[in-house]
Amino acid sequence: MAPATAQMGMTSGVGCRGIERLQRARFDIAAILRDNAPADVPAGFESVAARLSEADSSIIHIYTQLYDEDAMTDLRHTVEADTDFIGDDINALPPDADEETRQRLAERLAPILAQNLIDYPWLSDPVAHLSKTEHVTQQTFIDAVIELYNTAQLDVLRRASILAHEQLRTARGEWRRLTVASHGV
């Protein structure tokens, strides 16, 4: 390929990427205006911006750097599906929240997490959806969560995760028992 032709190809490629970025920016601005969302809302989350706490918005911004578009679409669906608004209760949880409150919130959150694990099985093994290495993603996630959430909130998330996995194991065991019983095995 002649140098001039190669340069034109490179230039047009750069131009196309620039046009794509401008079109994406235009789309994002239109969504912000349409949904009356704050300008710093993560792209794609304009319609749920009013429900996002500062910490939630920040963690979603971080996720956009760690996960692929399919994962972000799934995340948006989980936020849209939060009709219980339990996120508001968790975000309002003070660091010195009592044990009963923490447990109650964990028990409310656990079935939602369990359903998310059923609906989006990749959440149990997200490697295929990472845009960074597994180590970088894990360390970034840990650092961000520790920075953004207080000790009571982290405790609720930990408890809810344990309960959700227990609920899944119980449900799978029940499903296996029913399957075996229905087949007469």
Side-chain angles (χ1 to χ4, degrees):
M1 182 181 293
T5 307
Q7 184 175 4
M8 280 182 27
M10 287 176 25
T11 304
S12 70
V14 170
C16 288
R17 285 191 299 274
I19 290 170
E20 289 170 4
R21 278 195 307 270
L22 289 172
Q23 288 173 332
R24 180 68 189 168
R26 174 182 249 164
F27 175 80
D28 290 345
I29 291 167
I32 288 168
L33 294 173
R34 179 189 66 238
D35 295 320
N36 292 322
D40 65 343
V41 69
F45 289 80
E46 298 83 5
S47 64
V48 294
R51 292 194 283 171
L52 296 176
S53 69
E54 186 176 323
D56 294 336
S57 184
S58 295
I59 200 82
I60 292 170
H61 276 294
I62 292 166
Y63 286 169
T64 64
Q65 300 302 307
L66 301 175
Y67 294 98
D68 64 18
E69 285 187 40
D70 290 339
M72 295 309 299
T73 297
D74 291 347
L75 178 60
R76 185 178 62 253
H77 291 154
T78 65
V79 173
E80 290 169 346
D82 180 16
T83 56
D84 184 15
F85 300 108
I86 189 166
D88 293 342
D89 294 336
I90 293 170
N91 290 322
L93 193 66
D96 61 349
D98 62 78
E99 286 296 311
E100 183 181 325
T101 301
R102 292 178 186 205
Q103 188 62 29
R104 188 177 67 252
L105 281 174
E107 289 172 1
R108 279 180 54 208
L109 180 58
I112 296 166
L113 295 181
Q115 188 61 53
N116 288 340
L117 290 166
I118 291 167
D119 293 344
Y120 310 105
W122 67 265
L123 289 170
S124 295
D125 185 17
V127 174
H129 290 278
L130 301 180
S131 58
K132 306 282 187 223
T133 67
E134 188 173 0
H135 174 74
V136 167
T137 300
Q138 187 175 40
Q139 192 58 52
T140 303
F141 175 77
I142 290 168
D143 292 346
V145 167
I146 289 171
E147 183 68 29
L148 294 170
Y149 299 98
N150 69 43
T151 54
Q153 292 165 330
L154 292 172
D155 184 41
V156 167
L157 296 173
R158 181 189 60 79
R159 291 179 192 204
S161 178
I162 291 167
L163 289 170
H165 283 90
E166 287 173 2
Q167 290 173 5
L168 285 176
R169 279 192 295 280
T170 300
R172 287 180 183 138
E174 183 64 21
W175 180 81
R176 281 189 204 108
R177 188 185 67 72
L178 291 172
T179 302
V180 168
S182 70
H183 288 93
V185 178

